[in-house]
Amino acid sequence: MGKLHASTLPTRLRVTAMNRLAATALVALIGLTMATPATATLWKWRDGGRIVFSDRPPPANIPDRAILERPTGMERGAVPPSPSGPSLVDPKPAPIVAAPASAATEPALEAKLRKGAEEKAAKQKAEEAKLASARADNCLRAKGQLKLLDDGIRIARTNQQGEREILDDKQRGEEQARVRKIITNDCR
């Protein structure tokens, strides 16, 4: 029996060997990736019109509402521990500045917010117009009813038993007071 050469191996065995080699390379790559320091300890805040990323908390002049992301368990005044012990570099390095946000994203968001506010205002205006129309209609009807009551024309209404009854002077006075109240409220 001589040496085996790759060309003498069956195709299936060659593919399996390649798969093992690829899997080994993949495992090694994952292991190297996991050994690098995590970037989850970055702070992110808005400074004027730019977004700033840093491993240090933002300066004191940046308000809390401008801080977009903070590392878990980190407070604003805390300084993250150095993995290699005391550092010989400047304790407050210059923040890492990200490229400015694309001009299309912020205006698009602002336009969407503006459109939502305009739709809300239009809906409120339509509701107010509907209420004003109902008030005007009530006012017109109440004025007509008051004219009938003041003219002394006999007015009949149906009671709870379904029978017609003619308003007497006391009932007519009560109805006039009720209609005047409606006119006071709806005819402005």
Side-chain angles (χ1 to χ4, degrees):
M1 235 190 188
K3 288 187 172 181
L4 291 177
H5 190 267
S7 61
T8 62
L9 291 174
T11 306
R12 189 171 192 189
L13 288 177
R14 279 186 277 165
V15 170
T16 305
M18 282 193 252
N19 286 345
R20 270 192 235 136
L21 180 62
T24 306
L26 183 62
V27 168
L29 183 63
I30 290 173
L32 287 174
T33 304
M34 294 180 85
T36 60
T39 58
T41 59
L42 284 180
W43 288 81
K44 180 179 174 183
W45 68 88
R46 185 178 302 277
D47 185 11
R50 63 186 183 153
I51 305 290
V52 180
F53 295 87
S54 177
D55 61 343
R56 303 287 177 175
N61 65 343
I62 302 295
D64 281 340
R65 61 180 158 64
I67 298 174
L68 304 174
E69 288 182 27
R70 61 181 78 215
T72 54
M74 295 296 292
E75 292 301 317
R76 187 175 187 149
V79 177
S82 173
S84 61
S87 177
L88 299 176
V89 295
D90 182 19
K92 288 194 174 190
I96 302 169
V97 179
S102 70
T105 57
E106 289 187 24
L109 179 61
E110 289 175 10
K112 188 174 182 180
L113 291 174
R114 192 177 324 111
K115 182 179 177 185
E118 289 171 357
E119 288 175 354
K120 186 177 179 181
K123 188 175 181 181
Q124 184 178 3
K125 191 173 184 179
E127 187 68 29
E128 288 173 0
K130 186 177 176 182
L131 289 174
S133 173
R135 267 194 232 111
D137 188 41
N138 285 345
C139 176
L140 186 62
R141 288 178 189 220
K143 284 182 178 179
Q145 182 71 14
L146 185 61
K147 183 169 177 16
L148 285 174
L149 290 168
D150 288 343
D151 286 345
I153 299 174
R154 282 188 184 186
I155 298 178
R157 66 177 171 192
T158 307
N159 63 14
Q160 293 179 351
Q161 290 81 24
E163 303 168 343
R164 288 185 63 180
E165 60 181 28
I166 306 289
L167 294 181
D168 60 11
D169 289 339
K170 180 182 176 193
Q171 292 172 329
R172 182 180 292 273
E174 291 171 354
E175 187 67 17
Q176 285 174 326
R178 186 183 73 78
V179 171
R180 283 191 178 103
K181 187 176 180 182
I182 292 173
I183 290 173
T184 303
N185 289 336
D186 290 344
C187 299
R188 296 182 201 169

